[in-house]
């Protein structure tokens, strides 16, 4: 492994499905506090990469290390979750019949189970944390609303709030802007930017306006056919002829 203490380091990772190489010789390094955006055409292996990090699927070869010591490739999904790796799927998975506040309590209560969590009494530190999270995700005024009645964007923010309540050390966010209005998208960008530094976040995204908003001054990774095609500041990535060829050019031509 490399010298630097990366929060996440994937080296030489390969993963095939029925002979099809979804991930090939992938190397990916993430420092603590980074907000990293990963872009790439459909089928590039972005979601599979998240599946490998979260233990939903295992690498055929290669290594994925977390905090320099944990070998994620040999751990179960539950063990990885307990290490502090949280994932937000594209469609929100909040408890629709519970209020915003209750959803956060469920996450703050950890692995107690839904029933026990509803009777869980927060201590004052947890109460403060809940208020802070509500403020961060812009839902303080909506705390007593059933999550099912929230707008699409608000549900996504609640889910990000639930990752914060879990104390996730690494937040994996798959296409957060999908289905959002422009205003919701911009607000989501602000939310992620406010978390950067304090948290480490990987965002997969297609919307280039949004990508630019959250990645100015940061590193963007382009995946193509299961490998890193290029990596760097958003301006140089967008100007890279290889990226234009396989991704941006095609997209704009549509
Ligand atoms: P992306 O998220 O970048 O669009 P994916 O990671 O979803 O790409 O998919 C990469 C490739 O791997 C695709 O060709 C997809 O069909 C294939 N793939 C992903 N998961 C599976 C699976 N469980 N079984 C078979 N093929 C899969
Ligand atoms: Mg995907």
């Amino acid at each position: 492994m490399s010298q630097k203490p990366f929060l996440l380091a994937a080296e030489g990772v390969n993963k095939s499905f029925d002979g099809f190489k979804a991930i090939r010789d992938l190397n990916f390094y993430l420092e603590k506090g980074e907000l990293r955006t990963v872009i790439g055409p459909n089928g590039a292996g972005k979601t599979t990469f998240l599946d490998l990090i979260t233990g939903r699927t295992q690498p055929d070869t290669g290594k994925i290390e977390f905090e320099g010591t944990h070998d994620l490739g040999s751990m179960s999904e539950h063990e990885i979750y307990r290490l502090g790796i949280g994932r937000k799927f594209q469609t929100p998975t909040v408890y629709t019949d519970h209020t915003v506040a209750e959803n956060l309590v469920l996450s703050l209560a950890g692995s107690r189970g839904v029933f026990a969590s509803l009777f869980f009494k927060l201590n004052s530190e947890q109460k403060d944390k809940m208020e802070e999270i509500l403020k961060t995700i812009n839902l303080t005024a909506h705390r007593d609303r059933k999550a099912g009645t929230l707008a699409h964007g608000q549900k996504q923010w609640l889910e990000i709030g639930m990752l914060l309540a879990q104390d996730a050390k690494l937040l994996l966010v798959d296409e957060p802007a999908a289905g959002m209005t422009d205003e919701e998208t911009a607000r989501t960008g602000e939310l992620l930017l406010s978390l950067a530094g304090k948290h480490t976040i990987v965002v997969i995204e297609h919307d280039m306006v949004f990508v630019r908003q959250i990645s100015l001054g940061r590193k963007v990774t382009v995946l193509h056919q299961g490998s890193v095609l290029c990596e760097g500041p958003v301006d140089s990535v967008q100007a890279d002829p290889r990226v234009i060829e396989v991704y941006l050019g095609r997209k704009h031509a549509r």
Side-chain angles (χ1 to χ4, degrees), residues 38-195:
V38 177
I39 62 173
N42 279 330
K46 303 180 297 296
T47 299
T48 304
F49 181 45
L50 297 191
D51 289 345
L52 288 165
I53 296 172
T54 55
R56 184 173 249 219
T57 185
Q58 279 68 43
D60 299 330
T61 57
K63 221 170 175 177
I64 307 178
E65 273 191 1
F66 185 65
E67 295 182 315
T69 48
H70 306 285
D71 175 15
L72 302 184
S74 63
M75 293 171 69
S76 73
E77 215 168 348
H78 187 64
E79 287 168 334
I80 292 172
Y81 172 85
R82 285 180 49 178
L83 274 183
I85 298 182
R87 178 175 190 174
K88 211 205 89 35
F89 288 90
Q90 213 171 309
T91 39
T93 50
V94 296
Y95 295 94
T96 51
D97 288 337
H98 290 288
T99 67
V100 167
E102 283 166 351
N103 270 276
L104 290 174
V105 172
L106 286 171
S107 295
L108 283 166
S111 48
R112 278 180 182 77
V114 178
F115 189 74
S117 298
L118 290 177
F119 296 96
F120 182 71
K121 286 267 173 289
L122 300 182
N123 62 32
S124 68
E125 198 183 314
Q126 287 167 320
K127 278 184 191 154
D128 290 348
K129 192 168 160 191
M130 164 118 121
E131 295 311 316
E132 198 189 311
I133 292 170
L134 281 169
K135 212 153 87 189
T136 305
I137 60 177
N138 234 314
L139 291 179
T140 305
H142 303 279
R143 61 191 304 147
D144 296 322
R145 263 175 73 184
K146 289 218 167 136
T149 70
L150 296 174
H152 174 73
Q154 292 173 319
K155 281 185 199 149
Q156 303 269 3
W157 301 333
L158 175 56
E159 213 183 349
I160 291 173
M162 289 167 77
L163 295 181
L164 299 176
Q166 278 160 31
D167 270 332
K169 292 178 194 162
L170 174 61
L171 282 70
L172 306 171
V173 188
D174 203 350
E175 298 195 30
M180 283 191 178
T181 63
D182 288 349
E183 199 201 324
E184 286 174 333
T185 301
R187 278 185 163 211
T188 303
E190 284 163 23
L191 169 58
L192 292 171
L193 286 167
S194 79
L195 300 176

Side-chain angles (χ1 to χ4, degrees), residues 6 29-36 196-197 199-202 218-219:
F6 292 106
Y29 305 94
L30 188 70
E31 282 175 45
K32 196 162 177 260
E34 266 196 72
L35 167 55
R36 178 78 64 89
H199 301 268
T200 312
I201 313 166
V202 173
R218 303 168 201 278
K219 206 188 265 183

Side-chain angles (χ1 to χ4, degrees), residues 235-254:
D235 283 331
S236 56
V237 158
Q238 277 191 300
D240 189 310
R242 296 167 302 169
V243 179
I244 294 168
E245 164 71 23
V246 306
Y247 181 49
L248 299 171
R250 210 192 292 168
K251 210 168 139 185
H252 292 155
R254 243 188 252 148

